Amino acid sequence: MGAGPAGLTVARELVGTSLEVLLLESGPADGGGPHQSLNEGEVKGARYAGLVATRGRHLGGSARLWNTAVGGAIGAKYLPLEPIDLGRPGRETDAWPLEYDELLAHYNRAQRLCGLGPPSYEAAAWSTPATSPLVLAGHPLESAVYHLGPGSPFREAIPALLAQENNVTLALERTACVLEIEPGGRRVTRVRGYDWAGAPFSVDAGSVVLAAGAIENARLLLAAAGASGDGPGNHSGWLGRGFMEHPRDRSIRLRPRDPEAARALAFYHRHRAADGTIVQGRLRPAAGWLAAEDLPNASLLLGPVRPRRAGLGRLLGGPPPDLLEGVLHLEQRPRAENRIRLGERQDRFGMPRPVLEWLWGPDERESLRRIRRMAMEALAESGAFDVDLAPCPLDPNAHHHAGTTRFHRDPGLAVADPDGRVHGTDNLFVTGASLFPSAGVANPTLTVVALAIRLAAHLRDRLGATGAPPEL
């Protein structure tokens, strides 16, 4: 269920096998339209853009909402999680049930599926005489890169591939509403829902995969649990909880002390490397400093205040900007009180609408102040900039929903097991960012695709499938 990057990837990785795959998507082939009304819900707590603007109900899912210019097309930034993001001493509740090397193997395939360049995210691999990183000796701030990739794999290429395959059926405008569970509660036997006109449908399924995003995955499981709460995945009390976003802080201001200092920032603007890969430099706190200070992860982008999007050509060929901003992308640690729950209002199919309860708390504001202070000191002491603070409201709207069906080895701390199978069930699986027990600071799509590749491999083995997916 769900034809965004997660669901499309699972289906793509089952192409050419002996399995019969049905991919249900609630929305239409293109974006917009009245189907978005099914995303409506309430937000309680901190300022937030809402549940309609921050997600897409259509083929391609969130990939149709991306807004990053990538070589004349629209795409997104890609970044893997770092080893420190998967677990820290004293934070076992938030630890991933995977070793980093296992995730890395799936990242390598995800990199190719997403149409990206070589899987290196360290600054040294992308440094040239014209685009080289800042030297910030003596400070725990170091350079790295994002990769930028197009949305076409999820908007065009994978849907086109699925349309050609005999073992995969893509059903659009089919909204799943009910998971029918056999007596005893271990197997989902049927999925029921409605097409957009309101006609009911049902699917008898051998295995079921929820790939509808952190809000809808939780909503479907909460609806299955019912008023009693006695349903799949709800035994631990974590179902719907641990919602995370990636807020952004735009308060840092930099004034280059001379034109050359401004041009030296070319590494930190999106640019095309010699092999054609499009990258964008960033600054990150060193992992050792984060661990010693017990701080969440962060990523700092540098660029002109206006226009906000300036490419390499502007920095190298035009007059350099005299005022820049630093944009801190922030990790939010999982908190049980940040959650999705079911509201009293219903949608057109009788499903309870979701309610997001979300706050950015005092301890998170203090973490932001400490990380920002370190970054400002490092940039000021480089000698290239005058650095000050122009406080801006925190922007929480990265559209990076995560954490509501977390996986963990301990069933008492999670909704799903390390394979993504909902604890206490035999054939119900979850994939996507809703699995994240912690989210780091990375844009989630690369990790979402890696986890979907991993789940598809598990399903092929579990179900004894013959055949293999097409090469990338």
Side-chain angles (χ1 to χ4, degrees):
M1 290 175 243
L8 286 168
T9 299
V10 173
R12 188 241 181 255
E13 294 295 280
L14 298 177
V15 161
T17 71
S18 56
L19 300 177
E20 183 179 3
V21 180
L22 174 64
L23 179 58
L24 299 176
E25 167 52 47
S26 175
D30 54 359
H35 301 75
Q36 287 294 99
S37 65
L38 292 173
N39 285 342
E40 291 175 1
E42 298 179 64
V43 178
K44 295 182 179 295
R47 178 179 62 91
Y48 197 64
L51 302 186
V52 175
T54 57
R55 56 198 181 122
R57 192 176 289 256
H58 33 236
L59 180 61
S62 62
R64 288 192 178 274
L65 302 180
W66 292 347
N67 58 6
T68 298
V70 182
I74 297 298
K77 299 184 192 72
Y78 286 85
L79 187 67
L81 293 170
E82 299 173 12
I84 193 174
D85 298 325
L86 269 61
R88 302 193 194 189
R91 295 190 175 272
E92 287 75 14
T93 299
D94 307 341
W96 283 58
L98 310 177
E99 297 297 328
Y100 193 77
D101 285 349
E102 180 183 358
L103 190 57
L104 187 62
H106 298 296
Y107 272 144
N108 289 337
R109 184 168 178 85
Q111 192 87 4
R112 298 194 298 277
L113 188 149
C114 293
L116 304 175
S120 174
Y121 288 80
E122 299 302 315
W126 306 101
S127 178
T128 70
T131 55
S132 57
L134 293 170
V135 176
L136 300 170
H139 291 277
L141 197 63
E142 55 194 30
S143 292
V145 301
Y146 291 96
H147 284 221
L148 279 72
S152 54
F154 308 110
R155 296 197 299 260
E156 300 162 14
I158 297 177
L161 173 66
L162 300 184
Q164 299 170 3
E165 297 301 321
N166 294 327
N167 75 310
V168 178
T169 300
L170 173 60
L172 299 175
E173 302 186 63
R174 300 293 191 276
T175 300
C177 298
V178 178
L179 305 176
E180 289 192 0
I181 302 169
E182 68 179 6
R186 293 203 63 88
R187 290 188 62 81
V188 176
T189 57
R190 182 175 291 121
V191 175
R192 293 192 288 110
Y194 300 90
D195 69 13
W196 181 246
F201 71 86
S202 65
V203 180
D204 296 331
S207 295
V208 174
V209 176
L210 306 184
I215 294 170
E216 291 301 312
N217 284 352
R219 183 187 183 196
L220 281 161
L221 288 173
L222 287 165
S228 68
D230 185 18
N234 205 29
H235 57 281
S236 67
W238 273 100
L239 178 57
R241 296 184 180 273
F243 178 89
M244 294 169 284
E245 254 282 11
H246 283 145
R248 294 168 290 192
D249 174 76
R250 300 181 180 275
S251 297
I252 298 175
R253 293 291 184 269
L254 302 92
R255 293 187 182 275
R257 292 181 176 173
D258 57 59
E260 289 307 310
R263 291 193 177 95
L265 292 178
F267 179 81
Y268 301 94
H269 291 259
R270 63 196 67 162
H271 57 280
R272 193 178 296 275
D275 68 351
T277 302
I278 301 176
V279 297
Q280 180 173 2
R282 67 187 186 99
L283 291 163
R284 66 184 181 197
W289 182 80
L290 291 173
E293 298 290 327
D294 191 26
L295 287 169
N297 214 335
S299 183
L300 179 63
L301 296 181
L302 304 175
V305 175
R306 289 185 179 83
R308 196 172 298 286
R309 296 188 182 92
L312 180 63
R314 173 180 170 83
L315 287 176
L316 294 181
D322 58 4
L323 178 64
L324 303 106
E325 68 177 0
V327 182
L328 271 170
H329 295 241
L330 303 160
E331 174 182 10
Q332 182 174 35
R333 284 172 168 162
R335 304 163 66 100
E337 58 267 36
N338 287 336
R339 63 168 180 159
I340 296 294
R341 62 173 176 85
L342 300 182
E344 296 181 0
R345 297 171 56 224
Q346 296 182 342
D347 67 16
R348 64 183 286 160
F349 301 133
M351 281 282 286
R353 292 195 182 276
V355 177
L356 169 61
E357 297 178 351
W358 184 83
L359 288 172
W360 181 253
D363 57 335
E364 292 165 321
R365 289 193 289 271
E366 175 60 21
S367 293
L368 165 58
R369 283 193 289 269
R370 292 167 62 190
I371 293 169
R372 186 171 56 202
R373 182 172 61 245
M374 180 275 290
M376 292 177 68
E377 289 174 356
L379 291 166
E381 292 182 22
S382 72
F385 311 100
D386 294 319
V387 183
D388 58 21
L389 200 60
C392 299
L394 191 73
D395 175 10
N397 300 300
H399 306 185
H400 295 173
H401 306 157
T404 58
T405 66
R406 56 179 13 226
F407 65 167
H408 200 280
R409 290 190 179 90
D410 183 349
L413 296 175
V415 173
D417 73 6
D419 294 320
R421 180 178 56 84
V422 173
H423 281 297
T425 71
D426 294 330
N427 69 333
L428 178 59
F429 296 83
V430 179
T431 195
S434 69
L435 283 177
F436 293 8
S438 59
V441 75
N443 295 45
T445 301
L446 191 64
T447 306
V448 165
V449 171
L451 289 177
I453 290 169
R454 180 176 180 268
L455 175 58
H458 174 74
L459 291 172
R460 292 195 303 267
D461 292 343
R462 179 186 178 91
L463 301 174
T466 58
E471 292 297 318
L472 292 168

